[in-house]
Amino acid sequence: MAADPRSPTQPTVRREDSDGIALLTIDRPDRSMNVLEPGLVAELRAAFEAAVSDEAVSGIVITSGKVGEKPSFIAGADLGQMEALGAAGRPARAVTEAIDYLGGFFRRIETCGKPVVGAAPGTALGGGLELLLATHHRIFANEPDARYGLPEVKLGLLPGAGGTQRLPRLVGIAASLPLLLQGRDVGGAEAVKAGLAHEAVPAAEVVAAARAALAGGKVDPAAPWDRKGFRLPGGGVYDPKVTGALVAANAGTHAATQGNYPAPLAILRCVYEGTKLPIDRALRLEQKHFATLVQGRPAQNMIRTLFFAKQAADKLARRPAAAPKRPIRRLGVLGAGFMGAGVAQVSALAGMEVVLVDRTPEIAARARASILAQLEAEQRKGRLSETAREAAAARITAGADHAAFSGCDMVIEAVLEDFEVKRTAIRATEAALGPDAIFASNTSALPIDELAQASARPENLIGLHFFSPVPRMALVEVVVGAKTSDATLARALDYVRAIRKTPIVVRDGYGFYTTRCVDAYIREGLRCVADGVDPVLIENAGAALGMPVGPLALVDEVGIDVMHHIAHFFRARETGPAADDRHTVNALLDALVAERRFGRKTRTGFYAYPADAPKRLDRTAVADLARGARSEAGAAEIRERLLYAQLVEAARCWDAGIIDEAGEADLGAILGWAFPSYLGGPLAAIDDIGAGAFAERCAALSRAHGARFDLPDAFAKAERRLYGAAA
């Protein structure tokens, strides 16, 4: 494989010899983290072979030069190369050869005849950890931010450079399964306890510890599996305990993936079949499965959306470049309920002073106490240090009224989803703010331009739609109004990055993007109820599609009263046959609200919530809503309806200009309402179906079920792909 033409002129791998030990330091100067792209691998191979052939060298240490504020080893393989390997028409043999360029090198490390120590001063993921697994002695950093894992499954892949074979041979089959199937990572001390590493020391001491291990003769220059008589720790696949673990993992994987995600099953096959083979045959088996996955649509969709699109969003690709950076140092939060408290918590943890204000000082004070309790819980779970907890707590104050917002750079409101309440909040808050301060609304549906009518400076007003629960949800939907300035957008995006969330930028319109699409999923589930479809079939179809819960469970969680409010709000703004068809289910919501069946909050909705048992579908209540209708629809038909309802709504948002960048929109779908990631997002799914085929299928669904499946005229006629297309 040719060297990467983007490789820097400075050497990526430095060699320093001392006392018979060759220290190979990997440090790509133009990246914050090392990545195993072809150029780096070629340079590392050359340096390694030179050290092996040097008679003066008795041992080799491989480490990283990334030892700054956040030390790291290698982040993983080059996903740009993985995307290229999946290109249409790429021969499978060429893919396998490309994989073997890396995997073959790792096998060379462990069979070179000289002791090799891997010294990782920080995080090693994917191919970075696979390199370490091929060394004879591993020293990891015992630091809070240092993580070690094989996350490939989260991108539809498996570790293709030996991870599925070396890991179970080191820690045992049963212990390896969570790390491989869930992509779970571990810290340095935990890695030693599991048998993944030999030592865990402070980051600054990993090289010294590596030298000491070699000097002390502690490193055997042969991998355990290359020694005669090797046996898998914990037993082989026919050991009863291991068999039980494999059976449970297989059943759990089938239930979790519904057959939509091939990577976990391929990993299980690699482990089950590979651990019965000699290591070299096992590695070839792994490469074969990797080649199949990397050329499949799920992996390519997930790489494009969850890596490249997310990387672009996290780097603020949509930020106006000319706007100066002005950090938010003091933040106001108006409305100290569940959402407002979550916003305050993540902002304080990011180093901002936060002032909470609500209707009364007592409410704000109770919210502050609740946040402090949450921070203490995070500390008890080991997710937060005592120092970080105390610092965040000290930054949060409870204000008595809007005057407490004086000196704030930005105020985020999280008050009742009502126009007049929010307009009153805008006027009262702006009166206390300086002329450059930003007012951000956490509305999930109310148009920013209509809220801006109450503002004395609409150019400083923007939407920041957070998702619940705020501390755990990664996405923030940034809503730009007609008068929102570039400076306001830039500062809002800088804030989202500071609190370590991922932003997508959308244009204004009722419901914006995410609320409209999740509403479409729920609404189609309700329409199936009205059509007389068995509710169990509806929920199972949602799960089979890959949604985390069925539409009826979701409406209970959101709140039937909330969905009722959204439905009638949308109805006032939508016209035409498609809207008339969509809103026939409003009567169903009216009936539920009249009975005060609001879902989980009232312990009665589409599900019943017994105090002493898990929730269950209330089939009698659901049957009453169908009013005698009975449908014979099958699972495949319901699954298609639930999928296409979301795709059509995304198409409408694209046609209306609310979304105009496909990768960002797809990322928002996966992070915002958990759209199935194997499809890449709704726009990726439409592209995979093909514009013509998609339009034809929508027309057929419209004839069979109603005009709600009609596409916008311009969209239906467009014979082009959404990726790369202008809005």
Side-chain angles (χ1 to χ4, degrees):
M1 183 178 292
D4 184 352
R6 297 170 299 169
S7 293
T9 54
Q10 289 180 254
T12 301
V13 180
R14 301 189 304 272
R15 175 179 166 182
E16 302 171 68
D17 291 7
S18 176
D19 299 324
I21 297 172
L23 176 67
L24 305 182
T25 303
I26 305 166
D27 189 1
R28 173 131 186 194
D30 59 339
R31 290 196 178 186
S32 59
M33 293 186 76
N34 295 316
V35 175
L36 289 172
E37 39 77 24
L40 184 152
V41 176
E43 197 172 335
L44 181 58
R45 287 183 73 146
F48 182 81
E49 290 297 344
V52 170
S53 61
D54 189 337
E55 294 182 359
V57 172
S58 59
I60 301 169
V61 176
I62 301 176
T63 191
S64 164
K66 303 299 184 185
V67 291
E69 185 177 342
K70 293 187 69 173
S72 64
F73 183 63
I74 296 175
D78 178 14
L79 287 172
Q81 184 189 18
M82 297 302 105
E83 189 177 45
L85 290 177
R90 189 77 178 259
R93 182 176 178 180
V95 176
T96 304
E97 289 175 354
I99 299 164
D100 188 53
Y101 184 74
L102 187 62
F105 171 46
F106 291 174
R107 183 62 176 146
R108 170 63 175 153
I109 289 175
E110 67 186 0
T111 60
C112 72
K114 292 186 176 182
V116 182
V117 179
T123 293
L125 300 173
L129 180 58
E130 287 181 292
L131 189 160
L132 291 168
L133 296 182
T135 63
H136 306 114
H137 192 85
R138 290 165 296 283
I139 301 173
F140 290 177
N142 190 20
E143 303 283 353
D145 291 336
R147 307 301 297 176
Y148 303 90
L150 299 169
E152 286 87 346
V153 69
K154 297 178 181 180
L155 293 177
L157 297 171
L158 58 77
T164 68
Q165 302 309 310
R166 293 188 179 94
L167 185 63
R169 284 169 169 81
L170 280 171
V171 305
I173 291 174
S176 73
L177 293 178
L179 300 174
L180 291 167
L181 295 174
Q182 300 166 23
R184 191 170 70 85
D185 56 41
V186 296
E190 188 180 356
V192 172
K193 186 177 180 181
L196 196 59
H198 298 86
E199 303 176 58
V201 301
E205 298 175 16
V206 293
V207 171
R211 290 183 181 279
L214 287 170
K218 295 195 299 184
V219 184
D220 186 336
W225 42 89
D226 285 326
R227 300 188 205 115
K228 188 176 180 180
F230 169 73
R231 292 182 180 276
L232 283 157
V237 296
Y238 299 122
D239 182 280
K241 290 183 180 179
V242 175
T243 299
L246 286 166
V247 169
N250 187 54
T253 297
H254 277 282
T257 65
Q258 298 285 323
N260 296 319
Y261 296 86
L265 294 174
I267 289 170
L268 278 171
R269 284 194 290 270
C270 284
V271 173
Y272 178 77
E273 298 169 15
T275 52
K276 295 186 290 183
L277 298 172
I279 187 67
D280 289 307
R281 288 178 59 192
L283 292 172
R284 287 195 294 273
L285 171 74
E286 179 190 77
Q287 290 178 357
K288 179 181 176 182
H289 282 295
F290 184 93
T292 300
L293 290 175
V294 80
Q295 291 196 298
R297 289 312 308 159
Q300 289 298 311
N301 281 332
M302 293 166 77
I303 290 170
R304 180 170 62 183
T305 304
L306 293 176
F307 182 76
F308 288 110
K310 187 175 186 302
Q311 189 177 63
D314 287 339
K315 290 182 177 179
L316 307 187
R318 299 291 295 274
R319 186 189 188 281
K325 289 188 176 182
R326 297 178 58 200
I328 303 297
R329 293 188 172 88
R330 180 175 167 85
L331 177 79
V333 178
L334 177 60
F338 187 65
M339 291 295 288
V343 172
Q345 179 176 323
V346 298
S347 301
L349 285 170
M352 301 171 202
E353 293 182 32
V354 179
V355 57
L356 272 170
V357 172
D358 210 301
R359 294 190 306 276
T360 67
E362 291 76 18
I363 294 175
R366 284 198 300 271
R368 181 181 183 276
S370 175
I371 295 170
L372 299 191
Q374 288 294 321
L375 294 174
E376 288 177 2
E378 291 295 293
Q379 182 188 338
R380 286 195 300 272
K381 294 173 184 175
R383 298 173 182 167
L384 195 65
S385 69
E386 181 179 1
T387 301
R389 177 189 64 78
E390 291 177 349
R395 295 186 190 108
I396 304 171
T397 59
D401 53 36
H402 291 81
F405 292 142
S406 176
C408 284
D409 302 303
M410 178 164 70
V411 171
I412 299 174
E413 66 81 7
V415 300
L416 187 67
E417 193 79 344
D418 176 88
F419 270 120
E420 286 312 310
V421 172
K422 289 186 183 293
R423 285 168 177 160
T424 298
I426 291 169
R427 286 189 285 263
T429 301
E430 285 186 347
L433 295 178
D436 295 330
I438 295 170
F439 185 94
S441 174
N442 181 41
T443 177
S444 63
L446 304 183
I448 294 301
D449 288 341
E450 294 184 42
L451 293 177
Q453 293 171 8
S455 174
R457 39 182 186 262
E459 67 279 3
N460 289 14
L461 195 145
I462 197 166
L464 290 179
H465 176 203
F466 289 84
F467 294 76
S468 181
V470 174
R472 291 207 299 271
M473 296 297 283
L475 186 72
V476 177
E477 189 175 26
V478 180
V479 188
V480 179
K483 295 184 178 179
T484 302
S485 70
D486 281 356
T488 297
L489 172 59
R491 207 169 186 196
L493 288 173
D494 290 342
Y495 163 74
V496 174
R497 184 175 187 176
I499 61 172
R500 298 183 180 181
K501 302 294 182 186
T502 297
I504 63 167
V505 179
V506 303
R507 297 293 166 185
D508 193 26
Y510 66 91
F512 319 128
Y513 169 53
T514 57
T515 301
R516 281 178 55 168
C517 290
V518 76
D519 171 78
Y521 172 65
I522 290 173
R523 191 183 296 272
E524 193 58 31
L526 300 181
R527 185 60 173 265
C528 290
V529 168
D531 290 347
V533 179
D534 186 328
V536 174
L537 178 60
I538 298 170
E539 297 295 82
N540 287 345
L545 173 60
M547 299 295 289
V549 295
L552 307 184
L554 183 56
V555 71
D556 268 13
E557 293 295 331
V558 172
I560 293 170
D561 54 334
V562 174
M563 292 307 303
H564 175 265
H565 173 78
I566 291 172
H568 285 280
F569 174 67
F570 282 10
R571 186 67 182 106
R573 284 162 169 75
E574 296 177 330
T575 58
D580 294 341
D581 183 38
R582 279 200 300 280
H583 289 286
T584 57
V585 298
N586 289 11
L588 185 151
L589 292 169
D590 292 343
L592 289 166
V593 168
E595 296 173 9
R596 300 196 64 77
R597 298 175 66 93
F598 295 161
R600 180 180 284 277
K601 67 179 72 174
T602 58
R603 307 190 69 80
T604 177
F606 287 98
Y607 284 75
Y609 300 86
D612 56 351
K615 71 177 184 180
R616 56 176 175 77
L617 272 165
D618 190 340
R619 300 183 72 160
T620 301
V622 176
D624 291 343
L625 293 169
R627 302 180 188 277
R630 184 174 178 81
S631 170
E632 299 300 327
E637 179 182 336
I638 302 306
R639 172 177 166 160
E640 182 182 49
R641 284 174 60 177
L642 294 175
L643 171 61
Y644 270 70
Q646 298 174 75
L647 302 188
V648 170
E649 196 59 40
R652 291 193 184 105
C653 290
W654 179 274
D655 184 70
I658 291 172
I659 52 175
D660 58 11
E661 204 287 316
E664 190 177 65
D666 281 343
L667 178 65
I670 294 172
L671 298 184
W673 75 89
F675 184 87
S677 60
Y678 71 94
L679 293 172
L683 302 186
I686 293 170
D687 269 1
D688 281 350
I689 295 166
F694 176 63
E696 289 177 9
R697 192 61 203 140
C698 287
L701 287 167
S702 178
R703 291 191 296 270
H705 301 292
R708 64 189 180 279
F709 288 104
D710 288 350
L711 285 171
D713 289 341
F715 195 98
K717 293 174 183 175
E719 287 295 333
R720 45 91 168 123
R721 294 179 64 81
L722 294 170
Y723 272 82

